[in-house]
Amino acid sequence: MTDRPAEALGQFRLVDGYVDALPWRYSEDPAAYYCHIRAVAARFAAKEPQPAA
């Protein structure tokens, strides 16, 4: 992951449903690994300060 968790989370939304693709299939349980990494990105994105409106 990069230092831009909100952008990373946006990318996860685009690839949802493709957990059998690389790099997820390197894991023994690709769906679980994907969901874990996506959850980490979501937690970081929630902590990220929001820009002023």
Side-chain angles (χ1 to χ4, degrees), residues 22-42:
L22 292 175
W24 317 115
R25 70 177 180 210
Y26 288 132
S27 172
E28 194 171 302
D29 185 350
Y33 181 57
Y34 171 83
C35 289
H36 169 73
I37 299 299
R38 183 183 61 191
V40 169

Side-chain angles (χ1 to χ4, degrees), residues 5-32:
E7 289 87 350
L9 192 56
Q11 294 301 306
F12 278 108
R13 288 185 185 115
L14 292 173
V15 299
D16 255 358
Y18 295 97
V19 297
D20 58 343
L22 292 175
W24 317 115
R25 70 177 180 210
Y26 288 132
S27 172
E28 194 171 302
D29 185 350

